[in-house]
Amino acid sequence: MYFNEDHEALRALVKRFVDKEINPYVDEWEKSSMPLHEVFPKLGELGLFGIRYDPAYGGQGLDDWFDTVFLEELGHIKAVGAQASILVQTHLATPALHEFGSEHLKKTWLEPAIAGRLVSALAITEPGAGSDVAALRTRAVRDGDEYVINGSKLFITNAVQADFLTLLARTGDKPGYHSFGLFVVPTDSPGFVVSKELDKLGWRCSNTAELFFDDLRVPAENLIGEEGEGFIYQMKQFQYERFSSLPISYVTARDMIDMTVDYIKQRIVFGKPLITRQVLRHRLADWVTQIECLKQLTYHIVRMKMDKRDATREISMGKLMAGRMLREVADGCLQMFGGMGYMNENPITRYWRDGRLASIGAGADEIMSEIIARMEGF
Ligand SMILES: Cc1cc2nc3c(=O)[nH]c(=O)nc-3n(C[C@H](O)[C@H](O)[C@H](O)COP(=O)(O)OP(=O)(O)OC[C@H]3O[C@@H](n4cnc5c(N)ncnc54)[C@H](O)[C@@H]3O)c2cc1C
């Protein structure tokens, strides 16, 4: 209904890649994290890092429906950490570079990122600034043809292996949202330090780091767009990140349900397969209902995006729904497996651990509720 044969061709391409190049390795990557410099060039070669991006920089120049197909197929990756590392490259660290970056920045950083030759990370969160992004203290001070960056960042996905960061720093002291700059920061710059690789509950395929910047100098031309507007660019960039969680979540949730149904069809308890218990079947029905609602909201958002309408309200609603639904389904499926749901050999344990972050990262549930309430005038 929404997708034609070109979309289905892309779906088949991403599916083949996920089945062949990702899912067979996720157990290994959960222990040692995904080798991004090995995997990313393969994704780049297939054009999957540049679906929406301008062909002038190696992109495919396709629309949001193709992007949605790509995201839906990433949802079949059996480890959310691997999904996350890929999304950083496509939906977190590069949208603002594509939209607001200079020709020089796009040729130097975006083009190789689309080709998968360079690995990117998005550096916004700090020890004292997560939900409240404007409280960040990392500072970039102009010095001639350079900016000097001092400060730290926390919880940065891909940062251990990244070649560059898209980094938000304070460039002035005026209150409000016009005292920030968004910068491209090469990680081989003197003064860049990965102070700690972090040990996490889930998302173990992805590497996550605490970073420190000590008089790190970048050329002034590494500023994305205009000085003072970085916060605004980042708020726009968040919309891509938050949107990406919608298709991924409903597909991942459906996969969890399918594997659970396979199990409860053959698991005999009190003389009957568990699937015959109405209470369980109705719970499954509730979840697929939620999945369908989220999917239809997603397609509505895609139509809004195609019409160039602001979808912040709807994306916030979808992100809130996705986080809650993923947690509910992961927990409920684990419950249906009984003791087998508590064994690490069962993939549901990983989904359960991974899914927890969906209500925290990229703006916690409470932040989504706040945006929705504000936009509704409550
Ligand atoms: C594995 C992982 C990967 C991440 N990757 C990245 C990355 O690549 N780049 C990056 O920049 N950041 C990244 N983050 C950071 C993530 O976006 C933040 O953790 C998130 O925004 C929440 O910020 P915080 O942890 O500082 O929580 P806080 O801001 O301290 O909030 C704590 C909790 O308080 C609640 N809360 C906050 N504000 C309100 C309010 N107004 N009303 C009611 N309740 C509220 C929420 O429940 C929130 O979860 C990552 C985090 C993790 C754990």
Side-chain angles (χ1 to χ4, degrees):
M1 186 164 144
Y2 296 100
F3 303 111
N4 61 30
E5 60 188 30
D6 293 337
H7 298 116
E8 294 311 327
L10 175 69
R11 190 184 294 288
L13 178 76
V14 184
K15 180 177 174 1
R16 268 198 308 279
F17 189 84
V18 167
D19 289 348
K20 188 163 162 264
E21 301 286 350
I22 301 199
N23 277 339
Y25 303 102
V26 292
D27 288 348
E28 183 189 325
W29 296 341
E30 283 285 295
K31 294 181 199 126
S32 56
S33 106
M34 187 172 171
L36 304 180
H37 284 100
E38 279 175 36
V39 180
F40 279 16
K42 296 179 192 170
L43 280 153
E45 206 169 301
L46 295 175
L48 298 178
F49 279 144
I51 288 176
R52 286 182 313 101
Y53 290 162
D54 189 339
Y57 311 104
Q60 298 204 50
L62 298 172
D63 66 26
D64 292 300
W65 288 111
F66 286 93
D67 188 40
T68 305
V69 166
F70 169 68
L71 292 167
E72 287 185 344
E73 289 310 305
L74 288 191
H76 291 299
I77 295 178
K78 294 182 191 305
V80 180
Q83 298 170 354
S85 278
I86 294 169
L87 290 179
V88 168
Q89 188 91 345
T90 51
H91 289 72
L92 275 71
T94 55
L97 186 53
H98 182 256
E99 201 169 340
F100 304 107
S102 64
E103 180 66 14
H104 165 73
L105 282 182
K106 287 197 259 198
K107 278 284 171 200
T108 315
W109 300 101
L110 180 66
E111 192 169 300
I114 289 174
R117 289 195 303 278
L118 294 184
V119 171
S120 61
L122 176 69
I124 308 296
T125 306
E126 299 186 359
S131 304
D132 183 5
V133 175
L136 65 81
R137 294 169 70 173
T138 294
R139 187 168 284 274
V141 177
R142 181 88 190 229
D143 180 24
D145 290 343
E146 295 178 321
Y147 281 92
V148 185
I149 300 176
N150 281 287
S152 63
K153 295 284 174 185
L154 188 63
F155 305 141
I156 307 307
T157 305
N158 288 1
V160 178
Q161 298 180 39
D163 299 293
F164 73 93
L165 313 175
T166 303
L167 172 139
L168 189 64
R170 185 167 275 285
T171 50
D173 289 315
K174 277 199 229 125
Y177 301 118
H178 295 281
S179 294
F180 300 86
L182 198 58
F183 294 89
V184 172
V185 176
T187 56
D188 60 0
S189 310
F192 173 82
V193 182
V194 174
S195 21
K196 198 174 174 191
E197 181 164 359
L198 302 163
D199 183 17
K200 312 185 290 295
L201 170 71
W203 278 36
R204 297 184 73 88
C205 275
S206 64
N207 66 83
T208 310
E210 180 180 53
L211 307 175
F212 182 63
F213 315 104
D214 180 18
D215 279 339
L216 186 157
R217 287 178 174 268
V218 292
E221 63 193 5
N222 281 28
L223 177 72
I224 296 172
E226 288 175 38
E227 188 182 304
E229 295 308 301
F231 190 91
I232 309 301
Y233 302 151
Q234 181 49 37
M235 290 303 116
K236 290 192 173 172
Q237 189 157 246
F238 271 143
Q239 297 311 315
Y240 291 98
E241 175 176 3
R242 289 172 186 163
F243 172 75
S244 71
S245 72
L246 276 54
I248 293 251
S249 296
Y250 60 70
V251 171
T252 301
R254 181 69 206 213
D255 281 358
M256 283 190 256
I257 291 170
D258 288 346
M259 62 181 266
T260 306
V261 167
D262 284 349
Y263 179 77
I264 64 174
K265 272 184 178 164
Q266 51 88 22
R267 177 70 178 163
I268 309 291
V269 180
F270 296 110
K272 282 185 187 169
L274 272 178
I275 189 76
T276 59
R277 306 289 165 185
Q278 191 183 50
V279 66
L280 301 188
R281 292 170 55 252
H282 285 191
R283 202 170 295 154
L284 293 165
D286 285 348
W287 296 336
V288 295
T289 304
Q290 288 181 43
I291 286 172
E292 190 60 33
C293 289
L294 183 59
K295 196 187 217 179
Q296 293 308 323
L297 176 60
T298 303
Y299 294 168
H300 173 62
I301 292 168
V302 176
R303 285 191 292 263
M304 292 181 76
K305 281 156 78 84
M306 298 285 289
D307 283 351
K308 308 265 178 269
R309 284 163 62 200
D310 176 25
T312 305
R313 173 178 169 274
E314 289 73 14
I315 290 174
S316 307
M317 289 171 169
K319 163 83 172 58
L320 178 63
M321 244 182 115
R324 288 182 178 160
M325 186 265 292
L326 207 55
R327 284 200 280 149
E328 184 184 333
V329 172
D331 196 68
C333 286
L334 190 151
Q335 182 74 13
M336 288 187 196
F337 276 101
M340 278 314 294
Y342 206 68
M343 298 298 112
N344 274 332
E345 68 189 64
N346 187 334
I348 198 66
T349 57
R350 184 189 300 154
Y351 283 124
W352 186 78
R353 287 185 281 111
D354 285 353
R356 189 62 188 83
L357 191 62
S359 285
I360 300 173
D365 284 0
E366 292 77 3
I367 301 306
M368 295 307 104
S369 299
E370 190 54 36
I371 294 170
I372 298 161
R374 215 180 315 132
M375 293 188 82
E376 289 291 329
F378 299 151

